[in-house]
Amino acid sequence: MSVAGAREARSIFEEALRIDNTNVDVLMGLVETHLWEVNAYMSQARAEQVRLAEAAMSKASELTPLTSRMHFCRAALLIALRAPERALREIELAMSLDPDLPYVHVRAGWVKIFLGRGEEAEGHVTTAMRLSPRDPMLGIWYAILGLADLQLGRLDMAADRLRRAIEIAPNNELPYFHLAAALALQDRKSEAAQASEMGRLLAPIFRIGKCRVEVQSGNPVFLLQRNRIYEGMERAGVPE
């Protein structure tokens, strides 16, 4: 559950495709691993990775009727393509096909953050936690809740949830930078610097400027909220 993990998994998916390039599950795995890196602002070849994800998504769509998981993956691709409104429609289709799939509910909350509707994320993630209370992705779910709180300026709650996310999934890089921002905005300078340092140890290539350039939405509410995060990261010492 990290960019480093996504890269390792991708090499396995690529090896599997050399054995059977018509395996839809493997193609979906390839899509997700590319997009994890892209949407965490840590791709060093963003355009190429998005292209490869699009190609794998297109091939999977040709091989089988659209499933809940395929709509789920397509939503992440559309976020990378800066089309959050279309991503939400894909998630709504996924939910209509399989309303008991917890990951779809989590992705609905994540997509709504990019639409400036972060206050709706908690309901979606809470539903997922009810469906799968011991899910192995629980750390990521707390990270999404923490990000939504941070976007909305709920700094105490953001810090608590992001700490919980890190506790469960300590190798996931992005929550460290979000935690650093939340703490810095509360003037908890020492804690913010520590979180920033831990994030940079895991992800030395992470930069605020890359987040600005690769932002996935033009929604004005989202962008206004996003500036708060950049300010917090700057205060915490995250490299520009």
Side-chain angles (χ1 to χ4, degrees), residues 94-212:
M95 291 172 73
S96 70
L97 289 170
D98 192 348
D100 292 328
L101 190 64
Y103 306 107
V104 174
H105 292 280
V106 172
R107 186 149 289 177
W110 179 67
V111 166
K112 285 186 177 180
I113 292 173
F114 296 100
L115 291 168
R117 295 162 59 183
E119 67 279 359
E120 298 177 39
E122 183 158 2
H124 290 292
V125 178
T126 299
T127 297
M129 289 177 172
R130 177 179 55 79
L131 291 167
S132 186
R134 296 179 181 83
D135 201 276
M137 296 292 284
L138 202 59
I140 308 305
W141 300 358
Y142 274 106
I144 291 170
L145 288 174
L147 173 59
D149 290 330
L150 181 55
Q151 290 266 150
L152 295 166
R154 302 188 301 216
L155 301 178
D156 284 336
M157 194 175 292
D160 288 346
R161 285 169 160 171
L162 289 164
R163 286 192 192 280
R164 180 68 173 139
I166 288 167
E167 178 185 326
I168 298 172
N171 292 324
N172 189 19
E173 303 94 342
L174 197 54
Y176 288 94
F177 299 108
H178 291 157
L179 176 60
L183 294 168
L185 291 169
Q186 294 177 296
D187 290 322
R188 296 159 67 177
K189 296 178 183 178
S190 175
E191 294 172 86
Q194 185 179 19
S196 173
E197 182 180 359
M198 288 298 296
R200 283 182 284 134
L201 284 172
L202 288 170
I205 68 170
F206 185 85
R207 295 291 184 274
I208 300 171
K210 196 166 172 60
C211 297
R212 297 181 197 271

Side-chain angles (χ1 to χ4, degrees), residues 15-103:
E15 183 179 352
L17 285 172
R18 285 191 287 272
I19 297 168
D20 178 6
N21 66 2
T22 62
N23 187 305
V24 173
D25 286 334
V26 175
L27 288 164
M28 290 294 93
L30 190 67
V31 171
E32 286 287 332
T33 58
H34 277 301
L35 296 177
W36 189 301
E37 191 170 350
V38 165
N39 285 322
Y41 316 101
M42 285 181 249
S43 171
Q44 294 177 297
R46 188 184 196 279
E48 176 65 5
Q49 286 198 264
V50 171
R51 185 190 69 77
L52 290 170
E54 283 186 287
M57 186 79 244
S58 177
K59 184 166 187 175
S61 300
E62 292 170 1
L63 291 168
T64 187
L66 289 176
T67 63
S68 180
R69 186 182 177 197
M70 292 174 74
H71 287 296
F72 168 87
C73 289
R74 189 174 283 176
L77 175 60
L78 288 165
I79 288 293
L81 292 170
R82 301 181 176 93
E85 295 87 357
R86 290 171 59 199
L88 182 58
R89 287 196 291 273
E90 291 293 332
I91 283 298
E92 288 169 346
L93 286 169
M95 291 172 73
S96 70
L97 289 170
D98 192 348
D100 292 328
L101 190 64
Y103 306 107

